[in-house]
Amino acid sequence: MSAFQILQVGPLAPPTNLTLQERFGAVALWQQADPLAWAREHGGAVRVVVTSARHGCTAALIAALPRLEAIVSFGVGYDSIALDAALARGIQVSNTPDVLNDCVADLAFGLLIDAARGIAYGDRFVRAQRWPQGGFPLTTRVSGKKLGILGLGRIGEIVARRAGGFDMEIAYHNRRQRDGAPWRFEPDLKALATWSDFLVVACVGGPETEGLVSREIIEALGPKGILVNVSRGSVIDEAAMVAALADGKLGGAGLDVFRDEPNAPPALLALDNVVLAPHMASGTHETRAAMTALTLENLEAFLATGKVLNPVL
Ligand code: 8YV
């Protein structure tokens, strides 16, 4: 086994970095002075890239690795991986599906409840000692309301199941109707937004969903509507969303993802109808441990059998 057989694009948790280095002899690409130049010079021996949804894998990096056979990624989203370039060369790409569904759905619901009920706002209100000066404004009921889900995939389905516990009416929009799903399929996203009190975005990121939640969809959700995003910032026309939140054309938002992470749009920072989270939906000890284990299982499976366990396509 060549010393440079496995290449790690960006840092994961420190113990995972150590495991990759010590057990698998992985080279830390991010520690090279010029990562792409390093790949062009030494990439001939690399058979496997280990990366994450955050660090991705560019077409330029793939092109610099002529013997690359697999890209093993930590995270479920693969919009940051140049999939076409990988598949064109028959390179396998794996992700970590399912193990994060519960925690992402939990956070989607947390953001929804917080955006509607003003939990973080109330916390700021109490800490700023504003309570003695007057009562907290009334908020928006969650139970029994209409929930629209954009993307009834693995995560969207758990969001729908959580919503059942809040006696919500549920409808979803997807590329196609899901066989056997007990919830109402709405083929028209604008109609779904118009109908919804809350719209949770849980679809995949990438070119196929870029800007899907447009100004028109945001305004259809309307001044009382609340938008929750646990997918990717790219799915929403962020400038239109910021303007609608500031102008009262959209009631509120709970956002875990943004277009320019780790930066949230500055205009959102002053708005009390918005709850902001630092892309933390899968960030629990339990889920990150499960994602790490699955990443390493995919790597081991590829090294032992030539096949990853969780190919993305
Ligand atoms: C990760 C994610 O936190 O899985 C994904 O697609 O976005 C998150 O769970 C992160 O992106 C991993 O790098």
Side-chain angles (χ1 to χ4, degrees), residues 52-55 74-77 96 100 231-232 279 282 288 291:
S52 67
R54 179 167 159 224
H55 300 300
F74 171 93
V76 70
T96 59
L100 41 61
S231 160
R232 289 290 182 261
H279 198 149
S282 71
R288 287 291 167 83
M291 290 165 69

Side-chain angles (χ1 to χ4, degrees), residues 238-239 241-242 255 257-260 262-270 276:
E238 200 171 65
M241 177 188 69
V242 171
L255 306 169
V257 287
F258 304 90
R259 279 186 179 254
D260 180 32
N263 304 300
L268 292 183
L269 306 184
L276 305 171

Side-chain angles (χ1 to χ4, degrees), residues 26-313:
V27 171
L29 185 63
W30 77 96
Q31 287 174 350
Q32 310 305 321
D34 181 341
L36 202 53
W38 184 94
R40 287 186 177 127
E41 193 176 337
H42 305 282
V46 172
R47 282 183 57 210
V48 186
V49 156
V50 176
T51 189
S52 67
R54 179 167 159 224
H55 300 300
C57 188
T58 62
L61 180 58
I62 292 172
L65 308 174
R67 291 181 60 215
L68 185 64
E69 292 171 44
I71 300 171
V72 171
S73 184
F74 171 93
V76 70
Y78 46 85
D79 49 301
S80 57
I81 296 172
L83 206 57
D84 290 349
L87 297 181
R89 276 181 40 201
I91 296 166
Q92 299 175 55
V93 179
S94 71
N95 63 349
T96 59
D98 291 322
V99 292
L100 41 61
N101 296 350
D102 283 319
C103 280
V104 177
D106 290 351
L107 194 89
F109 242 87
L111 290 171
L112 187 158
I113 295 173
D114 196 339
R117 298 302 311 274
I119 302 171
Y121 180 30
D123 179 85
R124 292 194 294 278
F125 185 86
V126 174
R127 285 174 200 265
Q129 302 191 352
R130 288 168 57 196
W131 193 2
Q133 278 98 62
F136 192 62
L138 296 182
T139 61
T140 299
R141 179 182 168 110
V142 170
S143 298
K145 291 287 187 69
K146 296 185 181 113
L147 175 71
I149 299 172
L150 170 54
L152 194 77
R154 298 177 175 99
I155 292 168
E157 190 175 331
I158 309 282
V159 171
R161 278 167 36 192
R162 299 278 185 277
F166 285 83
D167 302 321
M168 292 173 126
E169 278 183 68
I170 301 159
Y172 71 96
H173 176 80
N174 223 23
R175 277 168 288 195
R176 63 194 88 81
Q177 183 160 9
R178 280 270 308 274
D179 284 347
W183 306 289
R184 180 171 72 82
F185 173 61
E186 173 51 76
D188 177 359
L189 178 56
K190 186 172 173 196
L192 181 73
T194 306
W195 172 85
S196 298
D197 296 306
F198 305 107
L199 183 65
V200 173
V201 180
C203 57
V204 296
E208 59 189 296
T209 57
E210 163 68 42
L212 195 57
V213 180
S214 61
R215 179 184 305 277
E216 198 188 6
I217 303 299
I218 291 165
E219 292 184 2
L221 186 56
K224 293 203 157 101
I226 288 176
L227 183 60
V228 173
N229 191 5
V230 289
S231 160
R232 289 290 182 261
S234 60
V235 181
I236 296 179
D237 179 339
E238 200 171 65
M241 177 188 69
V242 171
L245 285 163
D247 299 348
K249 289 185 177 158
L250 176 64
L255 306 169
D256 187 45
V257 287
F258 304 90
R259 279 186 179 254
D260 180 32
E261 293 175 13
N263 304 300
L268 292 183
L269 306 184
L271 298 181
D272 282 323
N273 54 345
V274 180
V275 183
L276 305 171
H279 198 149
M280 58 187 260
S282 71
T284 61
H285 294 294
E286 296 86 344
T287 288
R288 287 291 167 83
M291 290 165 69
T292 301
L294 194 51
T295 304
L296 295 178
E297 282 165 30
N298 271 285
L299 177 58
E300 277 163 348
F302 178 77
L303 296 177
T305 69
K307 292 262 176 247
V308 296
L309 295 176
N310 302 108
V312 300
L313 287 179

